[in-house]
Amino acid sequence: MECERKTKNLTFINLLDVGEIYSRLLDHRPVTQGEIRYFVKEFEEKRGLRELRVLENLKNTIFETNEHVLPKCEQAMHDNLNEAFKRLQAANDMIHRLQEREHEEMKLQADKLMAREEKCVAHWEELMKEQRNKQAEVDEEHRKAMERLKEQYSEMEKELAKYVSF
């Protein structure tokens, strides 16, 4: 029994020794965690410096833009807008004159059209008057011809009546 106990103790001690040996030789977690912490610290410091440089460059760019570029752009825009405004006014004046000419031309055309229409109406009325006069003449000739024919037929009837009585 005692032998068994010694063997168990040795086995237990051996297991402890194996665990310690394992942790020293094969378990690298504490070392890797330290290395990771160091790497992250270095990375954040370098990143922070890089971001600081980027922010400083942005600040300088914005300052230069506000001090130099923006006033130049404003002046160029103001000059170009004034020039564009003058051109638009000139174009507007030209279009206004064209519209006035067109309006006058349309008025002249309308006046000519009205004069032609009045002339046509007068000519039509004269033509209708002539037609009525000719119709009256034709009606009068027709009436006279009818009377002559009536007289002629009545004479022919009289003459016929003379011959019928024989």
Side-chain angles (χ1 to χ4, degrees):
M1 264 236 216
E2 210 172 294
C3 226
E4 276 182 39
R5 195 188 266 179
K6 280 187 179 186
T7 312
K8 282 185 183 180
N9 281 343
L10 277 178
T11 314
F12 183 70
I13 291 174
N14 284 340
L15 286 176
L16 286 176
D17 289 340
V18 170
E20 189 176 323
I21 292 171
Y22 171 79
S23 68
R24 285 190 176 187
L25 290 177
L26 300 174
D27 189 13
H28 303 295
R29 277 183 277 167
V31 174
T32 55
Q33 286 176 352
E35 287 293 319
I36 290 171
R37 279 194 293 268
Y38 175 76
F39 177 76
V40 167
K41 181 180 172 188
E42 286 293 314
F43 179 75
E44 286 178 349
E45 285 177 4
K46 288 180 182 177
R47 180 176 160 207
L49 291 175
R50 192 173 350 123
E51 287 179 356
L52 255 164
R53 283 191 301 253
V54 168
L55 289 174
E56 186 66 30
N57 288 340
L58 281 174
K59 184 181 114 186
N60 291 337
T61 304
I62 290 171
F63 178 77
E64 184 180 329
T65 302
N66 285 339
E67 293 296 318
H68 302 290
V69 176
L70 190 61
K72 287 179 184 178
C73 286
E74 285 177 348
Q75 184 61 38
M77 183 180 65
H78 183 70
D79 293 343
N80 289 335
L81 283 177
N82 281 338
E83 181 66 27
F85 183 70
K86 289 176 184 175
R87 288 181 180 182
L88 283 174
Q89 280 182 330
N92 193 23
D93 292 341
M94 288 172 42
I95 287 174
H96 185 65
R97 285 192 299 270
L98 282 173
Q99 283 179 334
E100 286 178 357
R101 285 187 207 151
E102 184 180 350
H103 180 68
E104 289 172 3
E105 186 67 29
M106 287 176 66
K107 188 176 179 184
L108 283 173
Q109 292 295 329
D111 290 345
K112 286 180 182 178
L113 183 65
M114 287 295 287
R116 256 188 264 138
E117 189 176 322
E118 288 173 1
K119 186 177 178 182
C120 285
V121 167
H123 182 68
W124 180 258
E125 287 177 358
E126 183 180 327
L127 183 66
M128 291 304 289
K129 188 177 180 182
E130 285 178 20
Q131 289 298 321
R132 282 191 292 268
N133 289 339
K134 285 183 181 179
Q135 181 184 1
E137 287 176 13
V138 168
D139 285 346
E140 183 63 28
E141 284 180 28
H142 183 265
R143 188 184 60 75
K144 287 180 182 176
M146 288 293 287
E147 284 181 15
R148 276 192 308 247
L149 282 173
K150 278 183 186 179
E151 286 177 13
Q152 186 180 359
Y153 281 121
S154 64
E155 283 179 26
M156 286 171 82
E157 277 182 17
K158 287 180 189 175
E159 281 187 35
L160 220 109
K162 287 183 197 175
Y163 294 117
V164 174
S165 50
F166 288 109

